[in-house]
Structure formats: C-alpha cells, structure tokens
Amino acid sequence: MPELLLELFSEEIPARMQARAAEDLRRAVTDRLVDAGLVYEGAKAFVTPRRLTLSVHGVPVRQPDLREEKKGPRVGAAENAIAGFVKAAGLRSISEARVQPDQKGDFYIAVIERPGRPALDVIAEILPEVIKSFPWPKSMRWGASSRQPGALNWVRPLHSIIATFGPETEEPDIVPFALDGIAAGNQTRGHRFLAPQPFTVRRFADYQHKLDHAKVVLDRGRRKSIILTEAKQLAFAQGLELIEDEGLLDEVAGLVEWPVVLMGSFDAQFLRIPDEVIRATIRNNQKCFVLRDGPHAKLVNKFLLVSNLEAEDGGKAIIAGNERVIRARLTDAKFFYETDLKTKLEDRLAKFHHIIFHEKLGSQAERIERIERLASELAPLVGADVAKARRAARLCKADLLTEVVGEFPELQGLMGKYYAQAQGEDEAVAHAIEDHYRPKGPDDVVPSEPVSIAVALADKLDTLACFWSIDERPTGSKDPYALRRAALGVIRLIVDNKIRLRLSAFGRQVFDYLHQLGGGIGDPFYAVEYRQKAVTDLLSFFADRLKVQLRDQGARHDLVDAVFALEGQDDLLLIVRRVEALGKFLDTEDGKNLLAGYKRATSIIRIEEKKDAREYTGAPDPKRYSLPEEKALAAAIDTAKTEATRAVEKEDFEAAMRAMAKLRPSVDAFFDKVTVNVGDKGLRENRLRLLNEIRAATRAVADFSKIEG
Amino acid sequence: MSQTVADLPPHMRPDRSFQGLILALQRYWADWGCVILQPYDMEVGAGTFHPATTLRALGPKSWNAAYVQPSRRPKDGRYGENPNRLQHYYQFQVILKPSPDDLQDLYLKSLYAIGIDPKIHDIRFVEDDGESPTLGAWGLGWECWCDGMEVSQFTYFQQVAGFECAPVAGELTYGLERLAMYVQGVANVFELNFNGRDGVQKVTYGDVFLQAEQEYSRHNFEAADTDMLFEQFRMAEAACRKYLEAGWSSRGGSNRGRHLMALPAYDQCIKASHVLNLLDARGVISVTERQSYILRVRELAKACGEAWLATEGGRGV
C-alpha cells in the first residue's frame, strides 16, 4: 500500500517546541486521514531544528465507496412528497428508486452511491489545511507575502515542502498543492554547512538514508543517544564522569542536526566558585555539560559542548571559542560571587523596604517581618530554637539581592546558605535559608531539621494567608503565585514531620500582622466576618489539596470530606490520622456493615421527613421503647458515642473506630426485628428519632454522609 | 561581489581592526544594496530606536538600510573595570523590508566577510524573541551564536509601535565589540585594536573609551541630577504629545488626514526613553514605577507610529 512522506523545511525551530510539533503534525494529518476514510497502518513523525517530517505508511489508494439507502414516501403518496424525495436523493426520476415492501406497505428506496476519491486528491486537500492551522505556540509572517492579510503563518519562515505519495515499488506522485508560493515537491537540503546542496527523494526510506549522508540525523532520539554516548566516552577517556542532565540533553538535541561532542577546559582557579554556580553558568548560558571526578565528587575544570559541525580543523576553533566565552562567563560569575561575599546578608535587608512584594501586600521588608514573627511562634511547636528560627527567617530572602541570584534565580536559597556559612552563621540557620523554599514540588525533599521546618512553614503560611486576604486565589489552570504548591508544601511539612498545628490560628495571625504592618489591603478586610470567611476558605483550600495529595497516594478522597465536614477541623495531622483510621475501619466487615446500616437509617429518615415535610431530630423518649432491639440499640448508641468521643479526645482514632464497630450488631438487629413505619404515630416518631441518633453518634468520628459507596 | 578578508590591507582586516570590522560590514551591506546611514544623533539604548528602524519598519514601502548606532545602557556601566560590560557600545544594525527569503544566508555571508568561516566555526540560531516593551515592538527570531558566543540578534519584526508590520522587516543587530573581541581573539574589550595598527601607531578601544566609561559610570550611578531628569521626562513627554497633536493636517473627526511632524515627535519619545534609563540607573524608581514609566513611553511610541503611518514615508503609493 502507498505511503505518504511530508517534510516541512524551515528556518530554525525553537528547541523547546520541537517534540510537541512532531506529535501535533502526526496527529493532525492522521486524524484527517481517518476522518476521510483513509485508514492507515502506521505513522511516525520526526523533527530537527530545520525540518518537521511525517511518514505515514499503509495508506489505501482511494477512499472506500460509500453506499447509502434512503427511505422515501409510500408508493402512491402525494406528488409533492415524491418530488421532494427525488430531489433530496439526487435522482432523475422516481423510476430510479426501488420499491420495498414492509409491514406498513410499499415504500420507495433510493440507493445513493458515492465512489471513493483517489487518496492523492484527498491528501492534497488535507495537507494545506494542516499547515495553515498548525498549533505553534507562537508563529509569524515573513517576506513579501506578509504584505497581504491572511499570509501563511509558520514558526519561522518556511522554505520548502516535500509531499510524495505512492506505493513502495513505483515512482511516487508529488501531492499537488501549493501554499503562499511554495509548491510541494520532492526536494530538500542537508546540513546547512556540511551538505547544503538540494537533492531529490522518493519516500521515507531513501529520504532518511540520504539525509544521513547529508549529515542530518533525522531522529531526535538518535541525536540524543549519539550525544550521550559521545559525551560519556569523552569523559571516560579522561577518567571523568559526565553529570547527566536530561533537560539540557533535550535542548541541545534540538539545536543540532549533526551532533559532534567536543571537550574544552577552563582555568582551575574558577573551581573556587561553588559548583552550582559553575554549573548554572555553563549550562544556562552556554548549554554545555559539566564533569566531575567520580560519583559525588567535585566538578573538574572541563566541559563538554555539543557542536553542529564536523569542522575542517577537527573542532579546534570551536573549542577555543567556547573556552573563551566560558572564561568570560566564569570571570563574571567569580566577580559576582566575590562581590556578594563582601556584604553581610543582614546589611542587604534595608533595601527590601523599597521593594514591593505585591502592590496590595506591602514591601518585602514587611513580608520578612511577618515571616520572622511567624517562624518564632512556630518554632516551639516544631521543636526549634526560637532565636535560630528568627535569625534564619530574617536572612532567608537576603540572597535575592545578591549578584549571583540576580543572574541565576534558580540558585536562590542555596546561595543564601553559602553566604550564611561564609559569614559564620549557625549551621541550622544556614540550612534553613536554603530549605525554606522546600518542598519545591511533589518530588522534592521535605525539610526535617526543626529550624528549617519553622521557616519553611512560616514562609508558606504567610504567602497563602496574604493572597487569601486580598482574594487572589488560584483559578482553573491559573496559579501565578504557586499557591497550590505552597499549600501542598505545608501539608507535607506537617504530615511528614508529624507536627500539631491549628491552621486557622496561624491564618488569623498572618491577618493580624498584615493589619499591624499596614499592608495595602482594603478596609473590608478589617471586618471580622470577612476575615473569618477568608480563614474558612483557606481551610477548604487545604482540604482540597489534601484530597489531591491523598488521592495521589491511592487513598480515598471522600474520607477527607467526611472528616473535614466535622466542626473545627484545622489540624492537618489529626485529620490525616483520622482519615487513615476511618479508611482502615471501612475496610473491615464491621465498618462496611455499619456504613450500610447508617445509609439505610438516613435514607429511611430522609424519605419520611420528605413525606411528612418535617424533621425528626431530638432525643427519643426511652419510655416508648417497646421492643428489646430498640432498647439495645439506644444503649449501644449511648456507649458508642461516649467511648468514641472519649477516644477522639485522646486522639486515639483506632479506638474511636472500634467503639463505633460495637454499634453494628444492634443496628443490624434493629432493622431485622423493628418496623419503623407503624400505625401508632407517636411510636413511629420515636423510632425515627432513634434512627437519627445513629446519624448523630457516627459524627463523633466522621460525617458518614460524605462517604461514598 | 564582496572582497574576501585576505584581499584587505592589514590595518583594515576585521580580525585586526575594530574600525576594519565596521567598514567590512558596511561594505558588505552596501554591496548588497543597502542605504548606509550614519548613527542617529540622539542618545538611544539600541539600534532599533533609530527612526530608520522603528518608523521605517512601519508601512508598505520597501526599505533596506544599514548603520552603526552607538547605544547607551546607563545601568551596564562598570567604571571600565569589567572586561565585558560597557554603558556605551556600538551596534551594527541592518533593516531589510520586506525580509528577503535568503536573509539567513545573507547574514552568514556577512560573517564570512568579516572572517568567520562556517566550515570551522559552529554557527547556530538559538531561539530568542525580540521584544521592546518601550517601543511596543515584538518579533520572532534568534540570537546567533558563533562557537557559543552570542554575536547577533536576528528578528523578524511582527509589530512595531503597536502596529502590525505589513510587510515584515528583518532586523539584524551585530554586537560589534563582542564580535570584534571574538575575531581579534581578545578577552578584554579595552584591549581591542581599534585602528589595526601596530606599535606606537596602535590605538586601542581603551584609548578611545576607557575614560568615558569611567566618567559616565560616575555620572550614571552617582551624579546624574534626578530632579532634572524627572523634569526632562515630563517635558519630553509633553513635547511629544504637543508635536503629535500639532502635526495632523486636519483636526477632529475620524479622518485626521496626513501627519506633518512625526519625526520631531518621535525624537521626544527617544529622549523620554533615555531619560528613563538614566533614572533607572540612579535607582530612584521602583519596579512598579518603572513599569508605569515604560508604559508611558510605549504610549508615545504608539502615537508616533500612528502619526508616521500617516506621513509620506509611512504611507503606500
């Protein structure tokens, strides 16, 4: 069966867009092929800096013929009905229709046959559509054609298009279409400098083969593996180890068509700069890899660059040039680092008075002041030294004003630690400066040193409460202040370190500080109700985050709701423990049956309440218990409630659940022997109230109504 | 077409002489068909601010020009102590409208003309979208790397002064000092050979500019009169608006006719932009304030662009 080859040859496509573009091209073309009835066998897309390529094989030569039967009016129907049918079915006269009897009589049937079109013609319509509507994140116009409105848009100027279609054994056809003066053809070019001459191709196999000869490795995966293999070999030959970097590898594979890895070096005196700074300099600015002596060893004064050229001089000029640039960059970095060391962290703080944290939330200095206060209040709760927590909080943002962090924002925190150590701060303080941003994501480590925990919590709680106070909350995919990450960070800090904390108290605390320090928040905020609502909203945001977190760990998120629905739940650690205990309980036979009994009781009450348009709450009257099962249930509820409440007070949630389990036989027996809907109105009401007591009792451990299943 | 580097006398060779590099680029683009202009006679932050780029990039007329533009970035001053940073430097700017289909090749040949052979040097186009918030301009393109060194910016202007470019212009900006350091093999900008001579006849970049870097750094960071600068900003803004208003050939109504004073108005916009950079270097405007000043300059640039499109140079026909 025929195959389609498409190549879109352009000026350099940004590396970060390439992988996505290949996938988008494959999907856009193949979806349209399938929609057009051209079911293909396989498709593969490729991308280099200068070309997007798609190969689709096993495409049918033509679309299948379509045959459709259309039922018309009854034989002998009104003339205009028949005329309408003839027209709609595209017949010349009614004599072309067949007559088919069914139970109701004889009907006209028109058979409409649409022959399939040649695939080549269909593809010639599909490809221009795909190209014109291609979803580049950013695209542009260029050249003389950009005078006209509606000119072709592409990621960078598009120069040529290969589009061939045909069976393996024959000379394929060129798909006949043109866009903005570019006619599809069968020619492309190789490497920009190593093989710039145009050449002709037939189909994917010879295309890829010829590209290989023209110094273009078409497959991105292959380019990556060439780079990695060459890099490791070069490192190994020198007895060194490559520091692998997947993100950088991805990027450089998108910057070359013919990767050639070369090794350069820099003056060893630069090794006095922290490794991370060297790495950031060489990686971010020069897109080169760094090397070390062995696992966990320090960096060495060598780097690996990935060039796009088999140079005539073996790469001498390229290495020399890169070395010169890296020397200049490291000179800058060393200068920045040494300049930074001359100023103590605390001497930088004054500047924060002039730096706005957020228009409505005051300056960075005020923010630091709040974090400091919060950290010193949190310190005793997490077992940290108050003075150290306060000191760390005071210094934790100071490195934002250093030259190195200005240049490499991703080194914030880390540089703060180095500078703190250099000025002789306590180790716990230095670590807290680095760790207070943690955990930065779901895979990041959670700080476990008490001082770090205090500052990390203070920083995040301040951020959350601040943005809640001005009604800036994440919506949908928008979360510009990374508040979801902050909340998740709080949850992990608390749960992993088993910290007891009343969140609402700290939320209110931040609001008070904001008030005292005069953040620019508006007057409505000072209304008590507004602040209460902000705290409640913040707690439910935590509940949502906790649900996501637990769901990711495979736990049931409905149980989080069941616990949060109880009054005053703002201690995350207790909530998590209770959810765990509840989960285990519901896995037991007792738990399942109690939940079933609970559901049965509530559904009876709901139905009866609806029927009578009233509620059945309030304590039942013990004198009206007539059956032993009623009395037994009442007694069991009493015991369970008392025991569970006592256990919850002691924070022993397993014991609370065990107390609940004792309810089960009496509930089962009640449903077995007792009829609720009896004629005696008073008796019926009393029994409904008793059922309601089950509902009330279970609230000692959770709101069972939120539990699914 | 153009000479090769080897044909040049030693003192004119781009790999020996800063001025030789400039002359080689001018020669190359003149041979291609550009108008070779001289620098604009005002303080600007980049070659893009020259009306030959900002304004000429707007409107339907073809336009091909190249020029050196001394550029001032007051904040980048380092008192002449940093081997790579300057508060005053040169850009070589090429603007071609509409962008020719072989613009990348033209650019690569221009590198060849200054002695950069793509058979031994690794030349790369790395994504970098050009954006000038003050000019309301943006385009897509790359920074051009030679052996890991960024030597030029390459931009296809999509919008200037808030207006769509139709047709699109291609802009090439060569960082002349960097390029010269590269081809001369010099690690410190002040050691560049300026005139390509040896011995006592040799003049270095430092001979020409080191004192200026020291003096202007003092001025930019310590002495520039900020009260005066605030006032100058205000005055330039007001003057720009005034000239724009006065320039419309017919007033009122939806059809404002031709504009007769777009260029003088635009000068005031340039002025405001430079004054803003000086204020920024003095550290007297906060981040949020800075943003609002940038917006004010952008509004001027947009109004100037609108006016330009109603002038002889900016219109069709």
Side-chain angles (χ1 to χ4, degrees):
Chain A
M1 284 219 276
E3 60 172 75
L4 168 68
L5 171 65
L6 175 67
E7 183 203 59
L8 301 161
F9 182 77
S10 69
E11 298 180 9
E12 276 74 357
I13 305 167
R16 67 187 169 94
M17 299 177 190
Q18 291 172 13
R20 179 65 192 274
E23 180 53 25
D24 284 342
L25 179 66
R26 190 188 62 76
R27 190 169 319 140
V29 173
T30 56
D31 281 357
R32 283 175 166 82
L33 286 176
V34 172
D35 285 348
L38 296 171
V39 178
Y40 60 97
E41 280 167 17
K44 199 158 188 290
F46 301 87
V47 63
T48 79
R50 296 172 82 201
R51 56 199 98 219
L52 258 183
T53 298
L54 177 69
S55 156
V56 186
H57 65 267
V59 183
V61 184
R62 49 192 314 128
Q63 291 175 310
D65 297 338
L66 284 180
R67 190 169 181 280
E68 196 188 345
E69 291 194 353
K70 199 167 179 160
K71 192 175 174 188
R74 192 193 297 264
V75 174
E79 216 163 287
N80 55 355
I82 289 176
F85 172 65
V86 166
K87 197 175 170 204
L91 304 178
R92 268 168 299 190
S93 78
I94 194 66
S95 63
E96 286 181 358
R98 240 179 33 212
V99 174
Q100 192 170 301
D102 71 9
Q103 296 128 335
K104 292 179 186 164
D106 289 346
F107 286 86
Y108 288 114
I109 302 283
V111 178
I112 303 165
E113 277 180 344
R114 222 176 316 135
R117 299 167 60 208
L120 186 66
D121 295 352
V122 178
I123 292 169
E125 287 169 9
I126 286 177
L127 296 184
E129 271 174 39
V130 168
I131 295 167
K132 279 193 273 191
S133 62
F134 201 81
W136 290 109
K138 265 185 184 174
S139 59
M140 55 166 277
R141 301 165 295 123
W142 66 92
S145 67
S146 59
R147 282 181 205 279
Q148 313 304 329
L152 182 62
N153 269 257
W154 200 244
V155 63
R156 291 294 184 276
L158 181 66
H159 282 278
S160 63
I161 300 171
I162 292 180
T164 65
F165 182 73
E168 277 164 61
T169 48
E170 289 164 32
E171 191 68 25
D173 288 312
I174 289 172
V175 183
F177 74 95
L179 273 171
D180 250 19
I182 305 167
N186 59 2
Q187 280 208 334
T188 188
R189 289 165 192 273
H191 188 279
R192 187 190 281 284
F193 303 111
L194 297 171
Q197 293 312 313
F199 55 87
T200 304
V201 301
R202 290 196 180 83
R203 59 184 65 83
F204 184 71
D206 70 312
Y207 166 78
Q208 187 171 27
H209 184 71
K210 284 176 180 165
L211 275 183
D212 239 4
H213 279 275
K215 309 285 185 189
V216 174
V217 179
L218 180 65
D219 185 354
R220 197 162 158 278
R222 222 184 106 213
R223 290 198 302 277
K224 279 170 71 171
S225 82
I226 290 171
I227 295 168
L228 197 59
T229 310
E230 281 189 24
K232 283 183 173 167
Q233 279 169 357
L234 281 172
F236 182 75
Q238 304 274 328
L240 300 172
E241 189 182 282
L242 170 75
I243 298 186
E244 291 191 36
D245 186 330
E246 186 63 26
L248 182 60
L249 181 60
D250 259 335
E251 187 178 2
V252 293
L255 291 172
V256 294
E257 290 203 308
W258 191 253
V260 176
V261 184
L262 298 167
M263 185 181 284
S265 59
F266 53 87
D267 196 322
Q269 59 141 339
F270 290 119
L271 292 172
R272 274 180 294 178
I273 313 172
D275 278 3
E276 294 87 349
V277 179
I278 296 178
R279 188 175 170 191
T281 305
I282 291 181
R283 175 195 203 278
N284 300 12
N285 295 328
Q286 297 312 124
K287 309 196 196 301
C288 294
F289 294 89
V290 286
L291 298 153
R292 63 187 163 203
D293 242 334
H296 313 297
K298 291 264 299 165
L299 292 188
V300 296
N301 61 327
K302 297 267 198 292
F303 64 91
L304 292 172
L305 69 97
V306 183
S307 76
N308 187 33
L309 196 72
E310 255 167 29
E312 283 172 357
D313 66 352
K316 263 198 231 127
I318 297 174
I319 293 172
N322 275 277
E323 284 179 344
R324 221 150 61 209
V325 184
I326 282 181
R327 188 199 307 137
R329 295 284 196 180
L330 289 175
T331 305
D332 271 357
K334 183 161 172 280
F335 178 77
F336 292 151
Y337 177 62
E338 285 167 356
T339 309
D340 286 347
L341 285 172
K342 287 180 195 155
T343 310
K344 290 204 156 197
L345 290 173
E346 58 266 41
D347 293 342
R348 300 182 181 277
L349 298 177
K351 271 202 170 171
F352 282 126
H353 288 284
H354 307 291
I355 298 174
I356 304 294
F357 164 51
H358 183 282
E359 232 186 327
K360 295 183 183 165
L361 296 167
S363 69
Q364 278 281 29
E366 286 164 12
R367 177 177 178 219
I368 292 166
E369 172 73 30
R370 289 192 305 271
I371 295 173
E372 222 181 302
R373 292 191 194 180
L374 277 176
S376 46
E377 280 178 34
L378 285 160
L381 299 180
V382 302
D385 181 290
V386 175
K388 286 181 188 171
R390 181 173 271 273
R391 177 76 180 159
R394 185 159 183 73
L395 300 181
C396 71
K397 304 291 180 194
D399 69 350
L400 294 178
L401 295 176
T402 62
E403 304 263 351
V404 170
V405 175
E407 200 75 6
F408 305 112
E410 72 268 30
L411 296 184
Q412 65 178 19
L414 179 74
M415 294 318 294
K417 177 179 83 174
Y418 288 143
Y419 297 141
Q421 285 168 332
Q423 68 180 46
E425 295 293 334
D426 185 276
E427 274 301 297
V429 171
H431 287 174
I433 291 172
E434 180 185 8
D435 289 343
H436 86 280
Y437 292 108
R438 295 203 155 114
K440 294 176 194 165
D443 303 322
D444 196 17
V445 290
V446 176
S448 57
E449 290 180 58
V451 178
S452 299
I453 297 170
V455 186
L457 276 175
D459 181 45
K460 291 171 183 64
L461 288 172
D462 177 69
T463 304
L464 285 162
C466 276
F467 284 103
W468 247 257
S469 77
I470 55 166
D471 224 3
E472 277 278 357
R473 297 154 202 205
T475 49
S477 61
K478 288 206 186 74
D479 185 9
Y481 304 105
L483 300 176
R484 291 193 182 104
R485 193 174 71 194
L488 188 59
V490 171
I491 292 170
R492 291 183 62 202
L493 279 159
I494 287 177
V495 174
D496 287 15
N497 292 301
K498 305 198 175 0
I499 293 164
R500 299 290 309 279
L501 197 73
R502 303 300 301 263
L503 278 177
S504 49
F506 280 91
R508 266 182 227 115
Q509 191 76 74
V510 176
F511 296 158
D512 286 344
Y513 293 156
L514 271 170
H515 195 167
Q516 289 160 19
L517 297 171
I521 36 181
D523 284 342
F525 180 68
Y526 299 119
V528 177
E529 315 83 72
Y530 183 94
R531 295 162 75 172
Q532 189 48 51
K533 189 175 173 303
V535 171
T536 314
D537 286 356
L538 184 54
L539 281 177
S540 71
F541 183 66
F542 272 110
D544 286 344
R545 291 295 96 200
L546 185 60
K547 273 192 267 182
V548 173
Q549 162 84 348
L550 290 177
R551 193 173 50 209
D552 290 350
Q553 292 171 357
R556 289 172 52 177
H557 59 91
D558 56 328
L559 303 188
V560 178
D561 283 333
V563 174
F564 257 103
L566 302 177
E567 282 294 294
Q569 294 299 315
D570 69 343
D571 185 320
L572 288 174
L573 190 64
L574 290 189
I575 292 166
V576 169
R577 282 192 191 155
R578 197 189 282 240
V579 167
E580 278 169 8
L582 185 59
K584 276 188 207 149
F585 175 55
L586 290 174
D587 283 342
T588 64
E589 275 305 302
D590 281 347
K592 281 179 196 144
N593 280 310
L594 181 65
L595 181 62
Y598 171 89
K599 298 257 171 196
R600 193 164 161 193
T602 47
S603 100
I604 292 171
I605 299 169
R606 202 182 314 116
I607 292 166
E608 300 310 312
E609 285 183 339
K610 204 176 163 194
K611 207 190 286 169
D612 304 349
R614 56 161 294 194
E615 284 191 350
Y616 290 104
T617 49
D621 179 1
K623 279 179 270 170
R624 305 211 59 153
Y625 297 148
S626 56
L627 297 171
E629 285 78 10
E630 283 179 280
K631 285 175 200 152
L633 178 59
I637 288 172
D638 212 34
T639 318
K641 200 153 76 173
T642 317
E643 279 183 26
T645 308
R646 203 174 301 144
V648 166
E649 274 162 15
K650 285 193 241 155
E651 296 168 8
D652 185 347
F653 299 110
E654 266 86 22
M657 299 303 161
R658 281 197 301 276
M660 278 297 134
K662 291 182 192 157
L663 257 183
R664 180 201 158 186
S666 323
V667 172
D668 290 351
F670 181 88
F671 282 125
D672 232 16
K673 302 279 190 236
V674 183
T675 312
V676 177
N677 280 320
V678 287
D680 179 340
K681 265 194 165 179
L683 187 60
R684 172 170 169 268
E685 176 165 352
N686 208 52
R687 285 180 178 168
L688 283 167
R689 284 189 169 168
L690 183 57
L691 282 183
N692 188 52
E693 285 295 287
I694 300 178
R695 185 157 67 169
T698 52
R699 280 190 73 89
V701 293
D703 182 345
F704 275 50
S705 72
K706 306 274 183 194
I707 301 172
E708 290 166 8
Chain B
M1 186 170 73
S2 43
Q3 301 171 286
T4 67
V5 173
D7 300 332
L8 296 167
H11 67 277
M12 293 296 278
R13 288 173 54 139
D15 57 347
R16 293 178 45 92
S17 160
F18 185 58
Q19 63 203 34
L21 171 75
I22 294 174
L23 292 168
L25 282 173
Q26 288 193 344
R27 176 70 196 268
Y28 173 85
W29 287 105
D31 283 343
W32 185 79
C34 279
V35 172
I36 303 297
L37 297 174
Q38 300 306 314
Y40 202 56
D41 58 343
M42 289 188 70
E43 299 138 314
V44 295
T48 309
F49 279 82
H50 196 309
T53 293
T54 309
L55 297 180
R56 294 274 185 179
L58 289 172
K61 288 184 178 172
S62 294
W63 174 249
N64 300 303
Y67 54 90
V68 174
Q69 182 61 51
S71 304
R72 300 200 190 211
R73 305 227 167 136
K75 226 179 169 174
D76 284 353
R78 293 292 183 272
Y79 296 85
E81 285 163 15
N82 184 305
N84 297 304
R85 290 203 190 193
L86 302 165
Q87 56 83 42
H88 172 285
Y89 62 99
Y90 286 129
Q91 287 188 342
F92 190 85
Q93 173 89 356
V94 181
I95 179 91
L96 307 176
K97 182 176 82 169
S99 64
D101 284 343
D102 59 347
L103 186 53
Q104 278 189 317
D105 280 340
L106 292 177
Y107 169 71
L108 292 168
K109 284 182 191 148
S110 77
L111 291 187
Y112 192 76
I114 55 172
I116 296 178
D117 179 357
K119 295 277 185 198
I120 58 166
H121 291 286
D122 187 28
I123 297 164
R124 226 83 73 69
F125 295 90
V126 180
E127 179 191 15
D128 186 37
D129 299 338
E131 185 163 13
S132 167
T134 27
L135 288 177
W138 71 273
L140 299 188
W142 310 273
E143 44 184 55
C144 308
W145 285 26
C146 174
D147 301 335
M149 161 96 97
E150 184 199 337
V151 289
S152 313
Q153 290 279 334
F154 190 132
T155 309
Y156 290 100
F157 273 134
Q158 303 294 300
Q159 215 177 62
V160 172
F163 292 92
E164 292 284 310
C165 298
V168 163
E171 181 201 49
L172 303 174
T173 305
Y174 302 76
L176 286 174
E177 284 82 357
R178 281 222 195 156
L179 205 48
M181 285 166 75
Y182 194 80
V183 292
Q184 289 192 26
V186 165
N188 184 331
V189 65
F190 297 107
E191 286 165 16
L192 278 177
N193 188 333
F194 206 105
N195 62 349
R197 304 287 173 169
D198 295 314
V200 289
Q201 283 187 305
K202 175 175 166 180
V203 176
T204 66
Y205 194 90
D207 293 335
V208 182
F209 283 122
L210 180 57
Q211 183 183 333
E213 280 301 310
Q214 294 162 342
E215 293 190 3
Y216 277 103
S217 294
R218 280 176 216 127
H219 165 265
N220 300 344
F221 295 125
E222 302 163 34
D225 183 337
T226 56
D227 289 341
M228 179 195 75
L229 290 169
F230 278 120
E231 184 63 11
Q232 282 184 349
F233 185 91
R234 204 189 52 73
M235 289 170 73
E237 187 182 37
C240 181
R241 297 239 174 255
K242 191 172 176 182
Y243 306 157
L244 282 172
E245 181 59 28
W248 291 106
S249 61
S250 60
R251 275 159 203 283
S254 56
N255 185 2
R256 296 207 271 181
R258 293 228 159 192
H259 201 282
L260 306 173
M261 250 188 320
L263 289 164
Y266 178 65
D267 281 354
Q268 298 302 316
C269 169
I270 296 179
K271 180 96 190 160
S273 172
H274 178 63
V275 170
L276 170 58
N277 290 340
L278 282 171
L279 286 166
D280 194 25
R282 287 284 274 127
V284 290
I285 39 179
S286 73
V287 181
T288 29
E289 276 179 313
R290 187 165 168 270
Q291 196 51 37
S292 84
Y293 275 104
I294 287 175
L295 282 176
R296 282 162 73 177
V297 179
R298 175 153 77 215
E299 287 312 309
L300 298 181
K302 283 184 176 178
C304 291
E306 186 193 4
W308 166 261
L309 284 167
T311 65
E312 192 69 34
R315 285 168 93 137
V317 201

